[in-house]
Amino acid sequence: MKNISMKSTQLIEDSYTNYHHSVYLYIYYRIAHKEEAEDLAQDVYVRLMDYDRMLCTETIKYFIFTIARNLVTDYLRRYYKRQEVTSYLYEHTVAYTNETELRVVANDLE
């Protein structure tokens, strides 16, 4: 049991050194935000640790990029939903004005 854990930890470490830059570039190309891409690239490896028993050297690269694709999809879904809510709020806000000032101006005009 301990041997499997050590083996998967070493496999994750090796994959980090081999694929981290590629994962970062993949994510950055899709979302075009440097800091967010760095965070998501780190999250890929955090999620990869959850699958330590399923990892093997032949499939880890595909696992990494599948996780990256899913994280990017989730990020973009949240991003566009936030944009949609923001634009809705912007379009439907009531412009509040100083009614007292408007009454004074209206009375002056009368």
Side-chain angles (χ1 to χ4, degrees):
M1 182 76 145
K2 189 174 180 181
N3 190 22
I4 293 172
S5 176
M6 294 283 285
K7 191 170 149 183
S8 64
T9 303
Q10 185 62 41
L11 188 58
I12 292 171
E13 289 176 16
D14 293 342
S15 67
Y16 182 84
T17 55
N18 292 334
Y19 303 120
H20 177 71
H21 188 67
S22 299
V23 170
Y24 165 74
L25 291 177
Y26 169 78
I27 294 170
Y28 181 70
Y29 176 75
R30 299 281 309 267
I31 67 173
H33 293 288
K34 184 179 184 224
E35 292 81 16
E36 295 290 331
E38 290 171 355
D39 289 344
L40 288 175
Q42 292 295 324
D43 289 346
V44 167
Y45 290 95
V46 170
R47 291 244 178 122
L48 190 64
M49 286 188 246
D50 293 339
Y51 299 102
D52 61 342
R53 292 180 186 240
M54 298 172 54
L55 299 176
C56 64
T57 54
E58 296 82 25
T59 61
I60 193 161
K61 180 179 179 181
Y62 305 109
F63 235 119
I64 290 169
F65 282 97
T66 301
I67 293 170
R69 184 190 68 217
N70 291 340
L71 286 174
V72 167
T73 301
D74 291 345
Y75 172 83
L76 291 174
R77 198 176 287 139
R78 284 190 311 270
Y79 176 79
Y80 287 120
K81 190 63 162 175
R82 192 177 327 120
Q83 293 295 102
E84 182 181 324
V85 168
T86 303
S87 67
Y88 176 81
L89 291 175
Y90 181 74
E91 291 172 2
H92 292 90
T93 55
V94 178
Y96 292 102
T97 58
N98 191 348
E99 292 182 22
T100 306
E101 184 179 343
L102 288 178
R103 286 186 189 156
V104 170
V105 171
N107 287 339
D108 287 345
L109 290 175
E110 286 180 352

